[in-house]
Amino acid sequence: MQTLQHPGHAQQPCPRPKVLSQIMIELECIGGTRTVTGSKYVLRTSQATVLLDCGLFQGRRAESFERNRALPVDVAQLDAVILSHAHLDHSGALPLLWQHGYRGPIYATPATRDLCAPMLADSSAIQASDAAHIDKLIARGVDIAPVTPLYGTADVIGTLELMVGLPYHRKQVVAPGITATLLDAGHVLGSAVVVLDIVDGNQQMRLAFTGDLGHVRLPILRDPEVPTGVQCLITESTYGDRNHGPMSESIDTLATTIAATVARGGKVIIPTFSLERAQEVIFALKRLRADGRLPHVPVYVDSPLTVKITDVFRLHPECFSSEMVEQLRSDDSPFDFAGLQYVSSVEESKAIDALTGPAVILAGSGMCEGGRVLHHLRNGIEDARNTVLIVGFQAEHTLGRRLVEQRRDVRIFGVMHPRNAEVISLDGLSAHADRHDLLDFAQRVRNAGSVASPLRQIIVVHGEPAAQDAFAATLRADGFANVVVPTPMQRIILATSHL
Ligand SMILES: [Zn+2]
């Protein structure tokens, strides 16, 4: 029997006999199409099956729970999983794979692997506390269906045992006929563009999957790397229908918003994704403080997860831009400044709400769907002196999206509140490429193509319908002939031939 050696694992038998009359390389989009969550793409050849990402669906609670619980992946057929980055909409369903019996390797960069430990543990803890909260509501007579957590600590630990660190640029055979190489995606710490060299019978192709692509010139990370010789590009399109304002403009707005809020005695509440948004905002605040543009008010990072993740950042200077590496050489930590306090305990968190003076509060979750930011919003949303500053993408049906839409009333912990606080959105600090960046990346991939076998197909995923369709139209207008916008569960044939 043919065997395949995975680093850190015993030799594993190759799963299926290969007696086929037809070669077919196909991609099935299980999640992460017509939506920005639930990223899951199955690549099948006649010899192997590889899963790209295994993310959680997020949005309306009951609907998301059902979609997450039903995992339409046959783990017995799966040779390997490759994870583009640690955000939960890409990684958060990995423990379900373990629960369903998957015991093969999960490849990711070493930084992504390290980030998944706190991220998945936090996801499991949030599910447990959500379930407990709903049980309490039911006990009080509220008519609501009980939920059980999707997975627990044992599933998270089992998942982490499967994770194999694959550094950028190192070629790794991940399944029969499939070699993976990870390039820097510049989106969050450890994020990767996944490049797959696929050989199946007489078919041979190079496929690149962007995962989430970074906004160019982010202060902490390097810009995305462009793969060469690609025939099929699977690209995200989160911001495929709009361009961000310049980052300098967003930094200016950050400074003026904080100054105005402090002047009227209010608090600035910044819902932040613990991974990357928080560190980018902390770094921006540090610069403003150094430039004398940040008033001398306390700045709280009220998120135990952010504290843990910031520690992981300190362990991975290999992922940083040269400017950041230079700063790390000095004793001046990029994630600390006078007046900044990291808050872990619940008591300290409650004490922040009891403060009456101005302050800047960063807290998760980034889309206001859970976490401590909900407590700060509940206490602060009705006070017209306060500001909610939105710095990341807000998916449909989330509280964050309703705030961005400037709704007059919002529901927090099941209770409607009049929204008197100001809401300001800053998209220039986004970790995602905008339309210009995405098109530029696709053009560079085309320009770096092989003359004999050029880029022949672009599959546009990971966007809400308007963004996916707009970006597909942009690509077609730029001369890309074969642009596909898949529907959920659609199978796309990438190559086929009869033997
Ligand atoms: Zn992401």
Side-chain angles (χ1 to χ4, degrees), residues 85 87 89-90 187 212 432:
H85 65 290
H87 274 154
D89 55 331
H90 295 257
H187 167 63
D212 285 350
H432 276 278

